[in-house]
Amino acid sequence: MTVKTAFRVIEIVELFAREKQPLALSEMARLLDMPVSSCLGLIRTLEEQGYMYETGRRQGYYPTGRLLAMAQVIAAHDPVLDRVKATLEELRDAARETVVFAKFRDAGLVVYLEVLSAPQSIRYTAESGETRPAYANSLGRALLSTLDAEARRKLLDGMTLAPLTEATLTTADAIEAELQRSAARGWYGNLGESIPDLIGLAWPLRIGGEAYAISVAGPRYRMEARIEEIAAMLRSACLAIEPKTESPR
């Protein structure tokens, strides 16, 4: 029950992020497919703790600034992101494409820890906290390379390697061969395997003994002619972050 309640609170926060406006109790309950009584209990608790307020009688509820303030404090003291943020920003500005910092979550899923959007109107967009299957993702490929061969094969054999586009590699042998090519050429890629017109390049690094990866992603028409240039920037960024005593492999 406690886990379900926590999940519902997260759903409420995400609901307001999507709707971007005050919501009446009945509308919240409808959008969340939740009994009105349960929704009211959660809203009352959030209101008592200062995270929600009623914008006016019968005008709906909206989160207060306390939610943002808490999130900013948490983000400001993230021990990993604090270490990599400046380098990620430099990479984004140099490449002028979207930069993503990620690690494995579980079961072959990559979780995006930070996303810095490209300063261009047409760009790859994603949000922190999103997950992607490792087998058809440049960050996933880079993270797979940090595993020993036996662990990597076990992970791939346990995954459903479904085709996401016509270019998706869907066998463990094909992915393993691609990982070997990637290590030799100096970048792990997703060339239209998850989204047809997207190219993503990634490289792994270790921080505190944990494997992470950084990617640069953008539309094919801009990225294709710059692959080697951007890959070099990417490797340099990883070297700038990673201690000399640690190696991505």
Side-chain angles (χ1 to χ4, degrees):
M1 190 63 178
T2 303
V3 172
K4 185 176 180 180
T5 301
F7 179 71
R8 285 302 201 182
V9 170
I10 292 169
E11 283 189 316
I12 289 173
V13 173
E14 292 180 343
L15 176 63
F16 281 102
R18 289 197 306 272
E19 298 298 319
K20 303 179 181 67
Q21 63 181 347
L23 295 170
L25 177 63
S26 59
E27 183 68 358
M28 273 189 278
R30 183 185 68 80
L31 291 170
L32 294 169
D33 192 22
M34 183 191 305
V36 173
S37 58
S38 299
C39 190
L40 177 61
L42 290 172
I43 292 300
R44 289 288 187 230
T45 300
L46 290 169
E47 190 177 29
E48 288 170 5
Q49 296 300 314
Y51 290 97
M52 196 78 65
Y53 77 105
E54 193 171 10
T55 59
R57 186 169 177 77
R58 300 184 183 280
Q59 292 180 20
Y61 293 87
Y62 201 75
T64 69
R66 186 174 188 183
L67 189 62
L68 174 61
M70 290 294 180
Q72 289 175 331
V73 170
I74 292 168
H77 293 83
D78 186 309
V80 176
L81 291 184
D82 181 61
R83 177 172 172 177
V84 305
K85 189 68 175 284
T87 302
L88 296 180
E89 289 174 345
E90 289 174 7
L91 177 60
R92 185 267 317 274
D93 294 343
R96 294 185 60 78
E97 300 292 354
T98 298
V99 170
V100 183
F101 179 64
K103 70 174 301 186
F104 273 138
R105 193 183 76 179
D106 51 29
L109 284 177
V110 175
V111 59
Y112 290 179
L113 302 177
E114 182 71 304
V115 179
L116 302 181
S117 295
Q120 310 199 57
S121 57
I122 299 175
R123 59 181 182 251
Y124 172 62
T125 60
E127 293 183 1
S128 299
E130 290 185 7
T131 59
R132 297 287 189 276
Y135 73 95
N137 179 276
S138 63
L139 290 156
R141 299 264 174 87
L143 289 165
L144 284 168
S145 77
T146 67
L147 303 177
D148 63 57
E150 183 178 351
R152 182 165 62 241
R153 186 65 186 221
K154 183 177 180 180
L155 184 59
L156 288 172
D157 286 344
M159 296 175 67
T160 300
L161 307 178
L164 304 179
T165 72
E166 293 182 356
T168 309
L169 300 181
T170 56
T171 69
D173 287 341
I175 293 170
E176 183 62 37
E178 175 63 17
L179 291 177
Q180 301 306 316
R181 287 191 294 269
S182 299
R185 72 192 175 200
W187 52 271
Y188 295 86
N190 168 9
L191 278 61
E193 292 189 54
S194 58
I195 301 173
D197 296 324
L198 173 74
I199 286 182
L201 309 177
W203 196 249
L205 69 160
R206 287 192 183 274
I207 300 174
E210 288 289 312
Y212 295 85
I214 301 172
S215 75
V216 177
R220 182 184 290 269
Y221 76 89
R222 283 203 307 260
M223 290 280 293
E224 202 156 30
R226 301 181 64 207
I227 286 178
E228 294 303 330
E229 174 195 358
I230 290 175
M233 295 180 190
L234 185 56
R235 293 192 301 272
S236 294
C238 290
L239 285 173
I241 295 168
E242 191 174 47
K244 298 297 184 182
T245 57
E246 293 185 317
S247 171
R249 266 176 270 300

